[in-house]
């Protein structure tokens, strides 16, 4: 594979690219501790090469993993470092919109809904890819839905789903479906929420995205009057996450304000 080739040839640039590719796959699979390890390797390789593009993006990507693990202070520090690089003249201008998106996601996780919505709207003004737009629409929709504007939030989550569908990326589409399911539930439409959750579940089970499956199971239980099956499944998945991530990592994750809310609403 790419990494083995880089190791055989001793090509440091190829090695950095391989590390970044592996980290990206692990992040999409929600294997966060492993993804963080490979993004750290990417950062070290980029620094050794003096490649500011690799360094900047690895800082942002490390932050994207860290906030998911509840390590907000470290994530914010890396985003500030990445922003300083993005502000310099050169090839890193394209990094700024991505940093904005990570900041919006992190604000949403911390339940800073007005900040998350403002950052998402700013991001939508500069986003260049449909994938980025879908993600920002999702963040905006959830920020609105969680702060009491359920119907407007649902509209933005529906837009995120429409934006993601032509991308032929099942994970991205399923993430939008999970967000829409939450917004529909907030808008008191449990049947529609359960249908979106069912469609997302099919993909998450196939890809092995345990963290999304756990959140989805809690949502299904809530939408179905605390039904026994999704409640039981949520408990099983939590045990699997503990084994995969480790108890200390999981403890920090469970302390995230948004996750505390998810569990409280069961």
């Amino acid at each position: 594979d790419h990494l083995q080739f880089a190791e055989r040839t001793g090509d440091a640039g190829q090695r950095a690219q391989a590390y970044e590719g592996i980290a990206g796959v692990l992040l999409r699979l929600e294997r966060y501790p492993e993804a963080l390890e490979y993004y750290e390797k990417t950062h070290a390789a980029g620094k050794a090469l003096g490649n500011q593009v690799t360094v900047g993006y690895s800082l942002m990507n490390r932050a994207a993993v860290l906030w998911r693990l509840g390590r907000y202070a470290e994530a914010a520090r890396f985003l500030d470092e990445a922003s300083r690089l993005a502000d310099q003249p050169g090839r890193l201008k394209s990094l700024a919109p991505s940093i904005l998106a990570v900041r919006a996601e992190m604000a949403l996780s911390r339940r800073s809904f007005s900040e998350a919505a403002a950052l998402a709207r700013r991001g939508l003004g500069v986003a260049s890819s449909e994938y980025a737009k879908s993600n920002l629409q999702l963040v905006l929709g959830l920020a609105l839905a969680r702060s009491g504007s359920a119907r407007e939030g649902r509209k933005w989550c529906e837009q995120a789903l429409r934006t993601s569908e032509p991308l032929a990326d099942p994970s991205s589409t399923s993430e939008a479906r999970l967000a829409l399911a939450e917004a529909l539930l907030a808008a008191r439409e449990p049947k529609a929420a359960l249908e979106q959750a069912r469609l997302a579940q099919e993909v998450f089970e196939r890809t092995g995205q345990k963290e999304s499956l756990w959140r989805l199971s809690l949502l299904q239980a809530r939408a179905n009057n605390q039904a026994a099956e999704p409640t039981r499944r949520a408990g099983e998945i939590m045990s699997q996450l503990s084994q995969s991530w480790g108890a200390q990592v999981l403890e920090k994750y469970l302390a995230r304000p948004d996750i505390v809310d998810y569990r409280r609403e069961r």
Side-chain angles (χ1 to χ4, degrees), residues 139-155:
V139 170
L140 178 55
L142 286 178
L144 291 166
R146 291 176 185 177
S147 60
S149 301
R151 295 196 180 278
E152 189 181 357
R154 182 194 66 192
K155 289 177 183 177

Side-chain angles (χ1 to χ4, degrees), residues 60 196 212 231 239 242 260:
M60 180 202 68
Q196 292 299 328
S212 288
T231 301
S239 296
S242 181
V260 170

Side-chain angles (χ1 to χ4, degrees), residues 67 90 99 151 193 216 237:
W67 79 252
I99 293 171
R151 295 196 180 278
L216 183 143
I237 295 168

Side-chain angles (χ1 to χ4, degrees), residues 93-131:
K93 287 295 181 186
S94 61
L95 180 60
S98 298
I99 293 171
L100 200 57
V102 176
R103 290 192 190 278
E105 291 171 339
M106 185 161 67
L108 179 67
S109 173
R110 300 181 78 170
R111 293 183 51 80
S112 299
F113 299 132
S114 59
E115 180 187 1
L119 288 166
R121 291 184 193 279
R122 278 177 56 197
L124 285 168
V126 294
S128 57
S129 74
E130 294 304 292
Y131 176 80

